[in-house]
DNA sequence: ATACTAAATGTAATCGATTACATAATCGGC
DNA sequence: GCCGATTATGTAATCGATTACATTTAGTAT
């Protein structure tokens, strides 16, 4: 392995100069710089990055903690992160937690051991206090979940308002009996979406029964199963708001299998706007999250933090948008 | 920052002993070990991993190069890689290339600079010779594309045979005019799938016209558009084999919009078995790739390579399987 | 030409764990 | 209790780039 001292010797300069040519070329006279560069070329010298990391105590790497990379919502956020990171010469270390807190703690060790310069947390199993602690010591950005009152840089959408908007959309279409299939309630996102749903219901003085809220786990099957419960009610709902698109699709499948037409007999709204929600039949009305942009923004915030920029603002709420397609019946209504 | 020498001083031993306690505890007497461990505990000592990486010239990190992490086929493979990696204490550095070769070359520099101990390549833009070169110098595993005659450890399915099987399935169902929507032909996978398609056609002495093979780019829209071309033919095909599920769905959409029923008027088979293919209506008949397992196997091979194990076998072909659902009409045929 | 400032380069310490080699402690057998 | 073998521990060099500080060179004004 060619090392810096080899280059220095042949170029007839000191290693300090070689180092400067690489890290702050403007401080080296042009002649010298050219000479050094040509020797580097000639010897095909590659700096030992590990030595640099060690000496500088930084790695140009960020850790991304994801519950499950196989979920398209997360993989799109990661896509945005990766894009922003690589533009700035940063690398992305990916850690799947499979929703196990122990894996999250392990991941935090990477931070403590300086294996990464910062961390983006897409996960939500850690205690509020733990997150606060580490974010006071290391650059950390949360993405996807807004935690009330937590002064840690966060990129998210407003889950409460979006859910309210989705639900109000159903109310405006004339529905009076509206159900909600929420995600696992240990997740803050799910709780927020329930909150928004309830706000819409109460503000519009719609009748509410607790049986009209059922907990799923964000999977297609859980959407299907919870819908079956609704259908078994004496008076089933005429509209369902599901906390994500997958469950919305499951609910629609259950409805169809029971002879209901969507949207004619049952209106459905989902959340996330995953790729397939437009392909699905009926095309899903849903709340679009700017997933890729959330990732990008999160990485940009992290970059600034790592540079030492201190933000007064800590919560970045990106715009979400209700996308009206077929499953809610609005388009059908227009035609009438 | 507490360092090893601090621990050594307080425990009244040398740094060598502390290091041994951490790296090969069995070589240290129990008393000493306990004493050292308790001091480590007491001081809350965290070894400086960067120093270790530097000294040992290894990082316990592998690089995964992916065309696009937002594509579920790749994110599932990455899921398998991550799982196998974290079990063995390895970290995963993720690099999206967006199908730009320059990004692949950049990624290779990481290997040369020893920033990672090995690499898994899910991408296919590099020259055969380039891949061979780097794989002779560093631990490398290819996943997803089998490159004929290339002696580099590879995990893949048999794309040719699988395509043949998919096509023959359509032939057995009585179709005589079968079309193929292939993926971008710069991709080896696409070319292999075309090959398998052709084999089935010729071996069964089915009529063939070159207009019955159209090139898409693995997107829903391209499937839709190519299907429109087929529908515009004087004698349109009665069956279509698409090189991935997304294009199959696009094709089905186009068919439906033109008044055809699937599978009654048009049989369709896809490839990949992405999650949504079972939800789609009609549920897609498709070739299931063991994506997660491919990732896992690739990582396991890489781990062995990094340990120095030399394999005589270099191509690992995992089982793929034809999953018969609704879109091909086989179930309908059974009922008759 | 001189004196002074600014720019360019060099010298050598430094980051902290690992490990080859050297030394010391322990054990077993007689 | 002594010797050789084995096991445990210590000493100190080492990995290679970075950078504080020292020194030299170039540039400018008088």
């Amino acid at each position: 392995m060619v090392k810096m001292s080899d280059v220095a010797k042949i170029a007839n300069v000191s290693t300090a100069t070689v180092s400067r040519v690489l890290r702050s070329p403007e401080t080296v006279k042009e002649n010298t710089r050219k000479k050094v560069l040509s020797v580097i070329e000639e010897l095909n010298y590659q700096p030992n990055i590990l030595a640099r990391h060690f000496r500088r105590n930084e790695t140009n790497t960020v850790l991304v903690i994801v519950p499950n990379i196989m979920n398209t919502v997360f993989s799109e956020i990661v896509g945005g992160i990766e894009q922003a990171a690589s533009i700035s010469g940063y690398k992305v270390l990916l850690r799947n937690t499979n929703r196990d807190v122990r894996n999250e703690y392990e991941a935090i060790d990477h931070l403590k051991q300086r294996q990464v310069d910062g961390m983006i947390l897409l996960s939500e199993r850690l205690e509020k206090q733990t997150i606060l602690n580490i974010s006071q010591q290391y650059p950390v950005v949360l993405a996807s979940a807004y935690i009330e009152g937590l002064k840690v840089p966060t990129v998210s959408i407003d889950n409460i308002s979006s859910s309210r908007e989705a639900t109000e959309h159903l109310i405006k279409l004339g529905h009076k009996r509206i159900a909600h299939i929420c995600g696992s309630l240990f997740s803050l996102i799910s709780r927020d979406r329930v909150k928004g749903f309830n706000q819409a219901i109460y503000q519009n003085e719609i009748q509410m029964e607790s049986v009209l809220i059922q907990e799923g786990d964000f999977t297609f099957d859980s959407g299907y199963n919870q819908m079956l419960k609704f259908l078994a009610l004496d008076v089933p709902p005429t509209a369902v708001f599901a906390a994500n698109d997958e469950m919305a699709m499951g609910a629609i499948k259950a409805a169809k299998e029971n002879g209901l037409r969507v949207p004619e007999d049952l209106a459905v709204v989902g959340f996330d706007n995953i790729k397939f929600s437009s392909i699905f039949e009926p095309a899903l009305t849903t709340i679009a999250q700017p997933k890729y942009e959330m990732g990008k923004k999160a990485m940009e915030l992290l970059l600034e933090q790592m540079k030492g920029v201190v933000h007064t603002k800590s919560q970045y709420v990106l715009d979400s948008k209700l996308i009206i397609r077929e499953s809610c019946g609005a388009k059908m209504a227009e035609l009438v």
Side-chain angles (χ1 to χ4, degrees), chain A:
Chain A
M1 264 292 165
V2 184
K3 54 177 107 163
M4 192 175 271
S5 56
D6 299 329
V7 175
K9 207 176 297 166
I10 296 186
N12 216 7
V13 296
S14 69
T15 59
T17 299
V18 177
S19 179
R20 280 186 282 253
V21 166
L22 293 171
R23 296 195 61 79
S24 42
E26 70 284 0
T27 65
V28 179
K29 235 197 341 196
E30 181 162 6
N31 275 345
T32 324
R33 197 187 331 145
K34 278 189 179 159
K35 186 173 53 179
V36 170
L37 285 173
S38 82
V39 174
I40 286 178
E41 177 91 359
E42 179 192 334
L43 298 185
N44 193 20
Y45 164 73
Q46 296 265 13
N48 181 325
I49 306 283
L50 299 182
R52 172 185 296 170
H53 289 170
F54 168 51
R55 174 60 222 243
R56 297 184 48 99
N57 200 28
E58 67 180 34
T59 59
N60 283 307
T61 304
V62 299
L63 179 60
V64 177
I65 302 190
V66 167
N68 180 7
I69 187 67
M70 296 181 275
N71 178 317
T72 60
V73 174
F74 296 122
S75 66
E76 295 219 3
I77 297 178
V78 170
I81 293 173
E82 207 278 340
Q83 164 74 2
S86 73
I87 284 178
S88 304
Y90 272 76
K91 290 155 281 173
V92 172
L93 207 57
L94 181 74
R95 187 71 163 90
N96 234 11
T97 64
N98 295 313
R99 302 200 151 79
D100 185 334
V101 201
R102 280 169 304 176
N103 291 328
E104 303 194 6
Y105 279 107
E106 262 179 40
I108 291 175
D109 282 342
H110 287 345
L111 255 188
K112 292 191 181 154
Q113 296 167 345
R114 295 283 144 109
Q115 295 196 56
V116 293
D117 300 342
M119 172 166 91
I120 297 178
L121 208 52
L122 304 191
S123 146
E124 13 165 76
R125 278 301 183 85
L126 288 172
E127 305 256 331
K128 204 163 156 176
Q129 193 55 48
T130 310
I131 298 178
L132 189 59
N133 272 339
I134 54 169
S135 91
Q136 279 162 349
Q137 299 174 263
Y138 311 99
V140 171
V141 171
L142 301 187
S144 99
Y146 172 108
I147 304 186
E148 189 94 27
L150 186 61
K151 275 238 166 278
V152 174
T154 301
V155 177
S156 66
I157 57 162
D158 184 336
N159 282 287
I160 301 181
S161 306
S162 311
S163 288
R164 192 173 52 220
E165 185 182 359
T167 311
E168 276 171 349
H169 176 66
L170 289 169
I171 294 172
K172 271 191 217 129
L173 290 172
H175 293 279
K176 303 251 176 270
R177 195 163 170 80
I178 304 176
H180 178 45
I181 303 176
C182 63
S184 334
L185 287 172
F186 70 74
S187 142
L188 179 60
I189 284 183
S190 301
R191 296 196 296 274
D192 277 353
R193 292 182 188 171
V194 173
K195 214 174 267 178
F197 172 76
N198 279 328
Q199 289 181 359
I201 294 293
Y202 293 124
Q203 272 168 26
N204 288 277
E205 298 179 7
I206 299 282
Q207 62 155 180
M208 190 57 207
E209 283 171 49
S210 74
V211 72
L212 287 179
I213 298 186
Q214 292 293 339
E215 180 178 357
D217 61 1
F218 290 124
T219 61
F220 179 85
D221 287 344
S222 73
Y224 180 89
N225 291 327
Q226 300 314 316
M227 187 65 218
L228 289 182
K229 279 200 206 165
F230 291 142
L231 293 174
L233 294 177
D234 282 345
V235 189
T238 62
V240 173
F241 166 47
N244 78 343
D245 288 343
E246 236 183 283
M247 293 195 294
M249 293 178 195
I252 291 176
K253 180 167 185 223
K256 281 185 180 174
E257 284 187 3
N258 280 270
L260 297 184
R261 291 164 306 161
V262 176
E264 292 85 345
D265 305 322
L266 180 78
V268 177
V269 174
F271 204 113
D272 283 349
N273 193 28
I274 60 176
K275 200 177 189 184
F276 288 113
S277 56
S278 62
I279 298 178
F280 190 74
E281 291 182 5
L284 275 187
T285 292
T286 188
I287 299 285
Q289 289 204 64
K291 301 175 277 290
Y292 189 86
E293 286 71 26
M294 284 168 67
K296 225 170 128 226
K297 179 75 183 177
M299 185 66 211
E300 285 162 4
L301 282 180
L302 188 62
L303 283 166
E304 289 181 5
Q305 259 194 72
M306 293 186 303
K307 266 195 224 136
V309 181
V310 179
H311 292 271
T312 48
K313 188 173 159 192
S314 73
Q315 308 272 11
Y316 293 79
V317 176
L318 303 196
D319 282 339
S320 55
K321 199 175 144 212
L322 176 70
I323 310 249
I324 297 176
R325 298 204 185 92
E326 308 295 339
S327 66
C328 64
K331 296 205 167 165
M332 186 183 65
E334 272 171 30
L335 299 179
V336 179

